[in-house]
Amino acid sequence: MSPSVPPPTASSLAHRAEIARLISPLRRVRPKVPFYDLAAHRIPTLWTLYRGLLRHAERENVKWRIAALFRQNRHTIQAHVAREQLIRGHKWLDMFVRAKQGDARLGVVLDRYDHMIAAKRDKAEFRRLVREALEQARLRHHPIFKGSFIRPTYYNKLLPRLVPQPASISGMIHKRRIGRNKRFAQKEEVAGWMEDLKMESAFEQALLAEQGGSQDGGKNGGNGKRVFSADLDAWLQPLLRKQRIINTAIKNDYARLYSPYPPALLAAGTQARCLKIQRNTLQRARERRGEIFPSTLKRMRQRPPAHIFEKMTPEQKKIDTIIRGPGEVGYTATVKRRMGVRLKNPELWTLEDGREEDWERLDRMEAEVRVETARRRQVVSVRQAEEV
């Protein structure tokens, strides 16, 4: 048995505590928050470095290049890479400040760099325009799901009604419609062939019976030879196979017609309808604030049916045009209220002169403006009199 270890002495414990006190501050502490979320990094980088670069660059192309580099490197998450970029940025800032203070050599360098960046900027702008054009072309034909459906038929299960409808869906339905018509025609044709084979077999048996022909296919010296009646099933087998294929396709048509509605697709339709209502509500609110959309112009250009529009007076036509507008204040609100149109905010038009609690302040401001206007007019009149 090993001897027991003696307890440490007081001096040893004190020595250990001193070593721990000296080493603990040197231990690396990993922060719980990434450096790019710390205010100690963001504020100097954005307020001092970025704004300083833009302020002292003095050249539009150089400013554009600085903004592009910051956008390009804003996703840097490695501390050592960010440190190198910040060092380079502060070096540029010192160069810009010195050039601004009158350093001729740095001024020439920056002018040359500005000329080089001009071509790069033109190329980047051209690429941006191409991307926007391609995106607009894609969105112009991009299907939008508004929440309605194409009901199940023989040719499709429940499908979302997309606007515009993709050519693949239209082609699928068209192809299946033509295929169903062809299958029914083939089914009638196959049934006719099978009936002809059965009639031919029966005729052959009756003919051989009258002639006294052998029943062994002419192998035993008989005068007759069987063709269809010897093995009728062999003749009918290809037609029966084709008939089974046609019947399977018809069953698939009925399966599509009576297929259940997918819950995920129904939930997507409900969400699309909710988003459509939210989007339209937001658009109407923006229209009331004065924004004009293509749908706004289209609605304002509408008019009553032709037989009613022809009997309307010019005043009635003018009122109809005003009512179709999105405004709810001023003369538009007066006309709409007179014609009984329901307003989204019926009391909005009463705020044209300001809130009642602000009337005193507004009257005081109006009086100050009038006094200042009168003073300026008096000064102008005195100057004109002196010139004369």
Side-chain angles (χ1 to χ4, degrees):
M1 184 174 180
S2 59
S4 59
V5 178
T9 61
S11 60
S12 178
L13 293 176
H15 182 65
R16 294 179 185 180
E18 182 65 18
I19 293 176
R21 185 183 66 81
L22 295 174
I23 294 177
S24 295
L26 303 178
R27 183 178 57 185
R28 180 183 180 186
V29 179
R30 290 183 177 272
K32 297 182 179 180
V33 180
F35 76 92
Y36 47 81
D37 287 338
L38 296 175
H41 167 74
R42 293 182 58 84
I43 293 177
T45 301
L46 295 177
W47 289 72
T48 303
L49 178 59
Y50 180 65
R51 293 191 176 187
L53 289 171
L54 295 181
R55 185 184 305 112
H56 298 291
E58 293 186 336
R59 295 162 179 82
E60 293 300 324
N61 293 327
V62 178
K63 291 181 180 180
W64 172 85
R65 181 58 178 169
I66 292 172
L69 288 175
F70 268 81
R71 286 193 301 269
Q72 178 181 347
N73 299 324
R74 63 181 177 180
H75 301 295
T76 302
I77 60 175
Q78 296 178 341
H80 66 281
V81 177
R83 181 176 179 275
E84 295 176 358
Q85 295 172 355
L86 292 175
I87 292 175
R88 184 168 60 251
H90 283 285
K91 180 180 178 181
W92 290 350
L93 180 59
D94 294 339
M95 293 174 58
F96 292 166
V97 172
R98 289 165 55 190
K100 189 176 182 179
Q101 291 175 352
D103 193 321
R105 187 183 67 83
L106 291 179
V108 173
V109 171
L110 290 179
D111 290 338
R112 188 185 306 128
Y113 184 67
D114 179 76
H115 182 70
M116 293 171 56
I117 293 298
K120 183 184 289 292
R121 185 178 183 180
D122 292 340
K123 292 181 180 179
E125 181 66 16
F126 179 74
R127 286 195 297 267
R128 184 187 67 82
L129 295 176
V130 171
R131 285 196 302 268
E132 288 184 358
L134 294 176
E135 183 66 15
Q136 290 295 330
R138 186 185 69 83
L139 294 177
R140 192 177 299 113
H141 304 286
H142 181 68
I144 300 175
F145 182 35
K146 297 183 178 180
S148 58
F149 300 96
I150 301 176
R151 292 184 177 275
T153 62
Y154 294 118
Y155 320 109
N156 61 274
K157 297 181 180 180
L158 182 70
L159 293 175
R161 188 175 296 278
L162 304 177
V163 181
Q165 181 168 294
S168 58
I169 295 180
S170 302
M172 176 192 68
I173 295 175
H174 177 70
K175 183 178 180 180
R176 288 178 177 176
R177 181 181 290 112
I178 294 177
R180 181 177 172 83
N181 295 335
K182 288 183 178 180
R183 281 194 296 272
F184 277 103
Q186 291 175 358
K187 185 177 181 181
E188 293 181 0
E189 188 176 4
V190 170
W193 288 346
M194 294 175 64
E195 187 65 24
D196 292 343
L197 285 173
K198 292 177 182 178
M199 292 175 61
E200 189 66 28
S201 177
F203 174 74
E204 187 180 75
Q205 288 182 0
L207 182 61
L208 292 175
E210 290 182 2
Q211 296 178 355
S214 63
Q215 303 297 321
D216 57 359
K219 294 181 180 180
N220 299 324
N223 297 326
K225 182 178 181 181
R226 293 180 178 274
V227 179
F228 296 104
S229 59
D231 192 0
L232 180 60
D233 292 339
W235 288 94
L236 295 177
Q237 192 62 34
L239 300 178
L240 292 173
R241 191 181 306 113
K242 181 65 175 178
Q243 196 175 49
R244 284 194 297 269
I245 294 175
I246 294 174
N247 292 335
T248 301
I250 294 175
K251 289 181 181 179
N252 293 337
D253 292 345
Y254 280 98
R256 283 190 288 267
L257 177 62
Y258 298 109
S259 60
Y261 293 177
L265 186 57
L266 295 178
T270 302
Q271 183 181 7
R273 290 192 293 272
C274 292
L275 292 177
K276 179 181 177 181
I277 294 173
Q278 294 176 5
R279 184 171 59 253
N280 291 340
T281 303
L282 178 61
Q283 181 174 334
R284 291 302 177 86
R286 294 170 64 183
E287 286 179 349
R288 289 192 295 272
R289 290 197 297 267
E291 295 189 44
I292 301 297
F293 301 92
S295 59
T296 309
L297 299 176
K298 182 178 179 180
R299 187 171 62 253
M300 294 175 65
R301 285 193 293 263
Q302 291 177 349
R303 61 182 187 181
H307 65 283
I308 298 178
F309 185 78
E310 291 297 329
K311 298 180 181 179
M312 295 173 62
T313 62
E315 182 65 21
Q316 290 176 337
K317 294 178 181 179
K318 178 182 177 181
I319 292 175
D320 179 78
T321 303
I322 294 174
I323 290 176
R324 296 180 186 275
E328 292 188 355
V329 294
Y331 180 67
T332 303
T334 303
V335 174
K336 287 186 175 182
R337 293 176 65 252
R338 188 175 66 212
M339 299 303 296
V341 178
R342 185 176 65 88
L343 301 179
K344 182 68 175 179
N345 189 356
E347 302 299 328
L348 185 62
W349 68 277
T350 60
L351 302 178
E352 295 181 10
D353 295 332
R355 300 181 184 275
E356 187 175 356
E357 57 269 19
D358 296 336
W359 284 356
E360 182 178 355
R361 180 175 60 85
L362 295 175
D363 291 341
R364 186 171 60 254
M365 293 174 62
E366 182 182 3
E368 293 176 358
V369 171
R370 291 184 182 277
V371 170
E372 180 65 18
T373 303
R375 186 188 66 81
R376 293 184 179 183
R377 287 178 178 175
Q378 184 178 4
V379 170
V380 171
S381 62
V382 171
R383 289 180 179 176
Q384 291 178 351
E386 292 177 354
E387 292 177 357
V388 172

